[in-house]
Amino acid sequence: MVTRCMKEGLVGGEGFAVDASVIKADANRSRSTAREGAEDLRDPQHATRAVREYLAALDAQGEPVTVPASISPTDPGARWTAVDGPAFYAYSTNYLIDVRAGIIVDVEATPTLRTAEVKATRTMIERVEERFDLKPERLIGDMAYGNAELLGWMVNDKGIAPHVPVWDKTQRDDGTLSSSDFEWDERANEYRCPQGQPLRSEWRTFKHPRTRITKANTIIYHASQAACSKCPMKSRCCPNTPRRKIARSVHESARDVARNIAKTDAYKQSRKDRKKVEVLFAHLKRILRLDRLRLRGPNGAHDEFLLAATAQNLRRMAKWLFSAQPEVTSMAI
Ligand code: SF4
């Protein structure tokens, strides 16, 4: 289907947009198992296809997984989710679209979990590159896709311009200085505070250099205690600590790329282009009426999402051909 759309000129390959939408699973919200009962699912008497798929996915991860507080014994792969009202079990359908005509170039079913949706973005981008030899110049997404790791991957590994708002928790709203009030000096590998004092990750040279990377993938830069103790701005900078510290993400340069893109006109256009995914999700729910799944398990969700996306592409292609090349379409009909 995507190959045909590419042939017909509906896929530009220049800009992709990504987003996820929550779809209710075929699992009754009143039938839940508490986290402690999850192990019971391994009992063969619960061995429905949806349960087997869930357990196989858990075992395939090979690392400890945080089991959610509430699990559906009917479809344990579905995630207990609340969206504007009482919680329910759901999956997310993740769309990667080409913004030229709004063609869905890939789709992925995931639990309704931001980390899973972000991971699906990488999976889809890689898969589209492998299958269709297509890699976008820009990727458009909302702030859910603006975390440091994904931005670092886009900019440094894939060479894709991130048209995504940066997920930034460093801004302070209590009147004290934020890290954006400090100037970064790439060559010196240090910040300069408003008083002109350096903040460094190391204040002396070690015989064996250390990476200083924390578990959160940051490097801590700090000012000298002597400078901060006599600084007139201390109450606005670090009122509760002897010296100012800034945690800099190892992907900060990629975050800066995204911040700079956000100031451009191209970014304004990308904000408009992003609506094309939202339109597809609205069509999926209101017109195709896929607001609740009929099949269970991750594979059931995948099959339904894929079929629905294919139907949407077919409809889009028919409209495109009809409006752009009426003579070709009428001949085909
Ligand atoms: S408190 Fe320290 S880091 Fe903050 S402005 Fe003063 S000297 Fe600079």
Side-chain angles (χ1 to χ4, degrees):
M1 183 74 234
V2 174
T3 311
R4 176 72 198 275
C5 289
M6 287 167 68
K7 260 190 207 162
E8 298 292 350
L10 279 83
V11 176
E14 181 272 327
F16 283 1
V18 67
D19 205 353
S21 187
V22 174
I23 308 284
K24 281 183 185 163
D26 183 27
N28 195 327
R29 59 190 300 274
S30 63
R31 286 198 64 220
S32 295
T33 299
R35 178 181 292 149
E36 297 69 36
E39 273 306 305
D40 292 350
L41 294 174
R42 294 196 181 268
D43 187 324
Q45 66 167 318
H46 294 299
T48 60
R49 186 181 53 79
V51 169
R52 284 198 305 274
E53 275 180 21
Y54 168 73
L55 293 174
L58 270 192
D59 295 340
Q61 291 192 32
E63 55 188 54
V65 176
T66 309
V67 179
S70 181
I71 298 171
S72 161
T74 320
D75 188 350
R79 193 85 181 185
W80 186 243
T81 309
V83 183
D84 302 332
F88 52 87
Y89 288 105
Y91 285 93
S92 283
T93 180
N94 296 266
Y95 277 8
L96 183 68
I97 73 157
D98 182 279
V99 296
R100 175 181 281 181
I103 292 296
I104 305 158
V105 291
D106 206 348
V107 57
E108 179 88 352
T110 60
T112 48
L113 211 56
R114 181 176 290 158
T115 48
E117 291 165 1
V118 167
K119 196 172 160 200
T121 304
R122 296 171 65 142
T123 304
M124 292 190 292
I125 294 266
E126 300 271 20
R127 199 160 49 201
V128 167
E129 188 176 1
E130 198 181 314
R131 276 185 189 163
F132 308 115
D133 197 21
L134 271 183
K135 192 179 70 167
E137 288 166 26
R138 62 184 166 126
L139 180 68
I140 306 159
D142 62 24
M143 200 180 281
Y145 302 91
N147 75 52
E149 276 73 24
L150 188 60
L151 292 175
W153 177 79
M154 276 190 241
V155 174
N156 302 322
D157 296 356
K158 305 303 289 182
I160 297 172
H163 287 232
V164 177
V166 176
W167 177 259
D168 198 348
K169 289 185 282 182
T170 59
Q171 281 304 112
R172 296 183 175 183
D173 52 13
D174 60 356
T176 59
L177 300 178
S178 297
S179 55
S180 56
D181 295 313
F182 293 68
E183 207 171 304
W184 172 248
D185 185 336
E186 182 71 41
R187 285 183 62 193
N189 185 30
E190 65 182 31
Y191 282 97
R192 283 277 160 177
C193 74
Q195 290 288 316
Q197 295 294 331
L199 282 79
R200 296 179 179 141
S201 58
E202 282 180 349
W203 281 85
R204 61 189 174 94
T205 312
F206 289 90
K207 196 172 163 191
H208 302 291
R210 305 165 185 196
T211 66
R212 303 269 175 197
I213 298 174
T214 66
K215 279 186 189 163
N217 265 345
T218 58
I219 297 172
I220 309 295
Y221 291 79
H222 50 84
S224 106
Q225 194 166 327
C228 292
S229 63
K230 52 181 187 242
C231 174
M233 292 182 75
K234 186 168 187 312
S235 60
R236 277 191 58 213
C237 183
C238 48
N240 305 318
T241 52
R243 58 182 172 168
R244 177 63 189 249
K245 290 181 191 171
I246 292 178
R248 181 179 170 84
S249 167
V250 295
H251 303 295
E252 199 62 37
S253 57
R255 280 154 58 94
D256 285 341
V257 170
R259 287 186 187 108
N260 289 333
I261 287 173
K263 297 172 194 158
T264 62
D265 287 341
Y267 183 80
K268 283 183 200 155
Q269 179 58 43
S270 291
R271 294 294 89 199
K272 290 179 192 160
D273 289 341
R274 199 176 78 76
K275 293 196 170 61
K276 292 179 182 174
V277 202
E278 292 167 4
V279 168
L280 283 166
F281 286 143
H283 176 264
L284 180 73
K285 291 179 180 177
R286 288 191 206 136
I287 309 298
L288 299 186
R289 299 218 169 263
L290 187 60
D291 52 359
R292 186 183 174 108
L293 290 165
R294 275 76 176 170
L295 302 176
R296 291 175 182 158
N299 286 340
H302 170 77
D303 290 350
E304 276 195 65
F305 294 157
L306 181 61
L307 271 174
T310 307
Q312 288 183 295
N313 277 350
L314 271 170
R315 179 178 169 275
R316 187 57 59 101
M317 188 170 72
K319 276 182 93 174
W320 175 279
L321 290 177
F322 195 72
S323 61
Q325 303 168 23
E327 68 285 358
V328 173
T329 311
S330 58
M331 278 171 65
I333 291 168

